[in-house]
Amino acid sequence: MAWWWRRLTQSPKPKVCLCKTLLPPIISSTPKPLISSFSTSFLPTKTPKKHKKKSKNKESPRTKLVQSEPNRLPHFELLVQRDSFFRFLTRSKNFLSKQPDHVLRLDDAGKLHRELGFPRGRKVLRSIQRHPLIFETYRHTDGKMWFGFTEFMEDLLEEEKSIMESMETERVTTVRKLLMMSAKKRIPLSKIHHCRALFGIPDDFRDRVSKYPNYFKIGVEDNGRRVLELVNWDPLLAVSALERDFMIDEDRVKKAFKFPVKHGKDLDLDVDDVRKLNLLNTLPLVSPYSDGSGLDLWTLQAEKYRVGVLHEFLNLTLEKRASIHHIVEFKEEFSLTKHAYQMLLKQPRTFYLAGTEMNWAVFLKDAYDENGALMNKDPQVVFNEKLYKYAEMQDMESDSGIRNKK
């Protein structure tokens, strides 16, 4: 047991401190802790949050605009914003028109945010007060607050009704052409009713079908759904707007779409040669009134057919435009695919997509002038624009100026 006694009494050996200078080594008499001779810089370390680079969050399709800044056309984007601004006006107008005496109790209206078009969680009264010439509130004999149309708005509704009556023949033609484009020459009545405002079709069109037995008949599917069926095929109606324009201005129609032909750089083609080569794919056009249900989905013919169908579909609308919801509504009837968005983006000469990636609208560019005004306006479009102007007014001071524009 003497070894541990010798270790305690034995004096420590002096340690030599090695330096990289020319000075003589310094002898230290006090022991120092053992220091590792290798670097520890390879060990993983955690960077403090304040020193971390903040990564940009990926923009949501709900807010990301379809068009980038250089390609954006403000007049089309403003039309989409206008639709959003007047959502309460248009939805409440349709909903109230179906109510007895065109009135609704305010307490009940507050629960119908989807039907009336006001933001969920907000008070409906705020939206009503934005349009004092259109809507009004009053206290009923039951002590409850109600809201309905003003007398001025009731007069406007009568004016719109007369327009609907005068345009009935044109609306019937529109529905006939939609049925002729459909794969089975039949469309559910619910879909036509849902998109009636897009084509100017009156609310009671389902009741008017019986007036045209030579054009339509109503069938019932196995699931009980009522469908509108085409009775007679009219070859005079089976001519698309593109085919009519081709007879007038062939060059313009040739430039409307672009289906490029893949070729190698070794060919060294100039711009004119590339255009002529692409025409081999572009022409001939595929009629939207042909049967496209049997085409292979991923062939060039099928894509040309779908582009032609959407072009004709937009031509049948009042404002030569439609939203994603309208196009999806007729997806089965027109043999469309889920890639309609990408397909339309590849044709910027004819179509313009406005809005966000999740909620976009497509416009026919040739139907609008350089200022974004619709060149050929349907009487219903003229009425809608006048209604929007009245909806923005707080009083009747500038009423005479609008009436002169009828």
Side-chain angles (χ1 to χ4, degrees), residues 77-122:
E77 303 291 344
L78 287 175
L79 286 176
V80 174
Q81 294 174 17
R82 186 194 69 177
D83 293 345
S84 178
F85 180 79
F86 289 116
R87 181 179 294 114
F88 175 78
L89 170 68
T90 54
R91 291 191 182 181
S92 296
K93 168 178 166 288
N94 293 333
F95 190 83
L96 274 181
S97 299
K98 302 173 186 176
Q99 304 303 310
D101 299 325
H102 296 171
V103 294
L104 185 65
R105 197 166 65 174
L106 204 59
D107 291 340
D108 296 334
K111 305 172 186 177
L112 302 173
H113 65 92
R114 186 184 301 274
E115 291 81 358
L116 299 180
F118 65 93
R120 185 175 185 177
R122 302 285 182 89

Side-chain angles (χ1 to χ4, degrees), residues 78-294:
L78 287 175
L79 286 176
V80 174
Q81 294 174 17
R82 186 194 69 177
D83 293 345
S84 178
F85 180 79
F86 289 116
R87 181 179 294 114
F88 175 78
L89 170 68
T90 54
R91 291 191 182 181
S92 296
K93 168 178 166 288
N94 293 333
F95 190 83
L96 274 181
S97 299
K98 302 173 186 176
Q99 304 303 310
D101 299 325
H102 296 171
V103 294
L104 185 65
R105 197 166 65 174
L106 204 59
D107 291 340
D108 296 334
K111 305 172 186 177
L112 302 173
H113 65 92
R114 186 184 301 274
E115 291 81 358
L116 299 180
F118 65 93
R120 185 175 185 177
R122 302 285 182 89
K123 292 184 177 180
V124 65
L125 185 61
R126 293 182 58 185
S127 298
I128 295 173
Q129 293 172 342
R130 285 167 50 189
H131 311 295
L133 297 185
I134 309 299
F135 305 109
E136 65 178 358
T137 58
Y138 65 95
R139 188 172 295 279
H140 199 262
T141 54
D142 60 0
K144 300 291 185 178
M145 291 297 296
W146 292 63
F147 94 100
F149 294 130
T150 62
E151 292 185 7
F152 176 70
M153 181 58 183
E154 293 285 358
D155 294 337
L156 289 178
L157 291 177
E158 289 298 321
E159 180 183 340
E160 184 181 28
K161 184 178 179 181
S162 64
I163 293 175
M164 292 284 188
E165 296 291 340
S166 64
M167 300 298 294
E168 182 172 343
T169 303
E170 286 76 6
R171 304 309 183 227
V172 168
T173 301
T174 297
V175 176
R176 291 175 66 192
K177 291 174 76 71
L178 288 172
L179 288 171
M180 292 171 65
M181 282 198 300
S182 63
K184 298 180 180 179
K185 309 302 177 282
R186 56 193 295 175
I187 298 176
L189 274 170
S190 59
K191 294 188 176 184
I192 296 177
H193 182 74
H194 181 258
C195 299
R196 63 192 183 279
L198 189 68
F199 304 102
I201 299 172
D203 291 344
D204 60 348
F205 178 78
R206 288 176 286 193
D207 301 328
R208 303 190 188 199
V209 170
S210 58
K211 294 170 54 178
Y212 305 96
N214 295 330
Y215 299 153
F216 313 117
K217 70 176 182 179
I218 297 179
V220 181
E221 295 182 338
D222 296 337
N223 57 5
R225 185 170 62 172
R226 300 170 67 198
V227 296
L228 188 66
E229 300 180 1
L230 182 70
V231 173
N232 292 317
W233 178 273
D234 189 348
L236 297 179
L237 293 181
V239 181
S240 67
L242 273 177
E243 291 171 318
R244 291 195 302 269
D245 293 343
F246 188 82
M247 303 299 294
I248 301 173
D249 191 349
E250 182 178 337
D251 291 336
R252 187 180 67 82
V253 176
K254 286 181 178 180
K255 297 176 182 178
F257 302 115
K258 183 180 179 182
F259 298 95
V261 178
K262 294 182 179 180
H263 61 276
K265 295 182 179 180
D266 298 339
L267 294 179
D268 194 22
L269 301 178
D270 57 21
V271 176
D272 191 50
D273 292 334
V274 172
R275 184 182 63 83
K276 292 178 180 179
L277 184 63
N278 291 338
L279 281 178
L280 298 176
N281 270 356
T282 304
L283 298 178
L285 299 173
V286 180
S287 173
Y289 295 98
S290 60
D291 185 9
S293 59

